[in-house]
Amino acid sequence: MTPAARRQAAIEILDQILTGQPTEKELTAWARRSRFAGSKDRAAVRDHVFGALRCLRSYAALGGGGGDVVSDANTTGRQLVLGALRAEGIDVDEIFNGIGHAPAPLDDVEQSVLTTVPQMQQAEELNMPDWLWPAFEASLGSAAVDAAKALQDRAPVHLRINRLHEDRDRAVEQLASEGVSTEPHPSAETALNVVDGVRKLRNSEAYTGGLVELQDAASQAVIQSLPLSDGQRVLDFCAGGGGKSLAMAARAKLKIFAHDIAPQRMKDLPVRAERAGTTIMVLEPGAAASQAPFDLVLCDAPCSGSGSWRRAPEGKWRLTQAQLDDLCQTQAEILNEASQLVAGNGYLAYATCSMLEVENRAQVDRFLANNPGWTLQQDHDWHVHKGTDGFYVAVLTRFSDD
Ligand SMILES: C[S@@+](CC[C@H](N)C(=O)[O-])C[C@H]1O[C@@H](n2cnc3c(N)ncnc32)[C@H](O)[C@@H]1O
């Protein structure tokens, strides 16, 4: 495919996403009906689509769209790609030339867009929803602008060395011998940053053999901060795919139980655990109480995902205040339920991949205010502009004479 044909493909996919269709579904559907597209074409089209979604508001404004970009009354894929070209400093006529499968040449209205530079408000320029920007700013303070800017870029690729198998230097060497260049990441001792060769990773022996897992360095740092030690019984209350369960298993000799309200999310966990050389007990929803008490219960709670909007940028535009309120309610209920499963003198760990105060420290403070037996032992946050996903973790303890 020519560069222009790739942009046209992105335009068509974006048009579908703007009607409310999920991004991954549309990318997959396009790849299926475009058998002529090679792996480099697919990667380039994906980059164009994700790039436009991360910068939806500013690209819309630069392309002559805008307005309510969430329900998308006024923006088209064509406008987003036009805006992207302007932002990237690419000659518009080289792409919008109508040759072969390229986008059609600009019409008069679109041509006139090129003659103006839109005046953008701060949230628009930083590609944040208007309703969320004040809360984002209040949560991050002077770091808010840097964090919002970081959300406009592609996320780094991080690996977790499965310590059950390997040490860091040997993992770096093996990956290098398979064409994947990495460097240690400062956020966690198990973390590697992939510098080059990311497309070779999934077929590498290092990955298929369980030496390394794909996992953001902040997720690893969360696990590193937990008070885990040999012999503990640990519950991963919101286990999802089990990334945190596996990371905990690599830290100490634990008896780990995985639980999730949606058990199908854990369906690959037994195989992943075997690949990593460990065993994880998968519990049915609601069955955690029958195995209680636990020395540590981790709640990696459902959240806005604001810390991982680089990876899933449509989340930034789909989230509403009502959904955020519902998420906060669910988080509070999870904390309450999970706290009852913790042994006397045990630990309750609460984590989100969010940078919003209301989902993080405010949630913990509310729990502590309502549950006087508990104290906060430590909490920590990670922000996107520091080279990881945005994350938060708090570790609470309950002292007991039992
Ligand atoms: C952030 S994800 C977990 C990610 C996972 N820990 C990982 O590392 O891959 C949150 C999970 O919480 C689950 N969940 C939502 N409400 C829940 C509830 N009330 N009880 C238990 N799990 C819940 C969701 O199904 C989802 O899988």
Side-chain angles (χ1 to χ4, degrees):
M1 292 172 76
T2 61
R6 289 170 174 173
R7 298 276 181 177
Q8 176 60 28
I11 286 173
E12 290 163 19
I13 294 165
L14 284 164
D15 277 335
Q16 290 305 310
I17 295 169
L18 291 167
T19 67
Q21 295 299 319
T23 306
E24 291 298 342
K25 176 176 161 256
E26 288 309 317
L27 282 165
T28 307
W30 171 79
R32 282 216 184 101
R33 61 177 187 268
S34 312
R35 298 279 177 208
F36 53 85
S39 61
K40 285 192 178 142
D41 296 320
R42 288 200 299 273
V45 170
R46 188 182 178 84
D47 274 356
H48 293 329
V49 168
F50 271 76
L53 291 173
R54 288 188 198 105
C55 297
L56 193 69
R57 293 195 74 183
S58 63
Y59 285 6
L62 283 166
D68 183 5
V69 290
V70 180
S71 67
D72 185 47
N74 297 316
T75 303
T76 63
R78 213 173 139 83
Q79 286 169 325
L80 289 178
V81 168
L82 180 56
L85 297 177
R86 291 186 78 190
E88 293 165 24
I90 294 173
D91 182 358
V92 170
D93 294 331
E94 273 185 23
I95 302 294
F96 284 80
N97 58 25
I99 298 170
H101 297 285
L106 300 186
D107 62 24
D108 290 348
V109 175
E110 289 169 328
Q111 284 289 357
S112 71
V113 167
L114 296 181
T115 61
T116 58
V117 177
Q119 292 300 306
M120 295 187 222
Q121 301 291 317
Q122 190 178 34
E124 189 175 23
E125 194 174 358
L126 291 169
N127 290 295
M128 293 296 292
D130 280 333
W131 71 268
L132 187 61
W133 178 239
F136 193 86
E137 246 190 322
S139 301
L140 284 128
S142 60
V145 169
D146 286 344
K149 282 183 181 164
L151 287 175
Q152 300 175 159
D153 293 333
R154 192 183 304 170
V157 179
H158 296 157
L159 302 174
R160 176 175 60 76
I161 300 156
N162 193 352
R163 281 203 171 268
L164 290 177
H165 280 168
E166 261 327 313
D167 65 29
R168 185 147 86 172
D169 292 346
R170 285 176 57 199
V172 170
E173 269 173 38
Q174 178 164 345
L175 284 160
S177 73
E178 299 192 74
V180 184
S181 166
T182 58
E183 62 187 9
H185 193 286
S187 295
E189 57 189 21
T190 48
L192 295 177
N193 182 38
V194 178
V195 182
D196 198 19
V198 70
R199 296 200 200 290
K200 297 191 179 135
L201 181 68
R202 281 198 188 268
N203 291 327
S204 71
E205 251 180 58
Y207 180 75
T208 56
L211 171 59
V212 292
E213 283 276 344
L214 275 164
Q215 189 171 52
D216 184 76
S219 279
Q220 300 179 50
V222 163
I223 300 304
Q224 192 172 301
S225 75
L226 300 181
L228 295 170
S229 55
D230 287 354
Q232 286 176 329
R233 286 163 51 83
V234 171
L235 174 65
D236 188 358
F237 190 67
C238 303
K244 304 279 184 318
S245 288
L246 293 170
M248 288 194 285
R251 265 211 52 207
K253 293 190 181 71
L254 307 167
K255 180 144 192 186
I256 300 181
F257 298 81
H259 169 273
D260 197 287
I261 200 169
Q264 70 278 10
R265 295 193 180 207
M266 301 185 289
K267 71 179 186 327
D268 297 333
L269 185 49
V271 175
R272 289 180 75 194
E274 194 183 342
R275 192 163 67 92
T278 188
T279 311
I280 290 174
M281 296 269 296
V282 177
L283 300 174
E284 291 296 315
S290 66
Q291 298 290 339
F294 299 92
D295 299 303
L296 184 146
V297 177
L298 169 63
C299 305
D300 185 18
C303 68
S304 64
S306 61
S308 55
W309 277 342
R310 288 185 293 195
R311 299 178 198 283
E314 69 184 90
K316 188 159 69 168
W317 311 112
R318 304 249 194 262
L319 184 71
T320 63
Q321 180 69 64
Q323 284 169 350
L324 183 58
D325 293 345
D326 284 352
L327 283 164
C328 289
Q329 181 61 32
T330 303
Q331 290 157 1
E333 286 166 10
I334 286 174
L335 266 174
N336 269 332
E337 192 180 341
S339 67
Q340 290 158 35
L341 306 173
V342 179
N345 299 315
Y347 299 99
L348 176 63
Y350 172 76
T352 70
C353 60
S354 175
M355 297 182 289
L356 299 175
E357 182 74 3
V358 69
E359 300 182 271
N360 295 342
R361 183 58 186 261
Q363 192 67 265
V364 169
D365 284 344
R366 183 151 61 123
F367 175 83
L368 290 171
N370 294 334
N371 295 275
W374 288 88
T375 55
L376 176 64
Q377 193 190 52
Q378 47 146 319
D379 74 340
H380 192 78
D381 47 30
W382 291 264
H383 294 153
V384 274
H385 59 289
K386 299 276 179 71
T388 65
D389 281 356
F391 242 101
Y392 173 80
V393 69
V395 178
L396 316 181
T397 47
R398 176 170 59 175
F399 294 104
S400 148
D401 297 331
D402 301 349

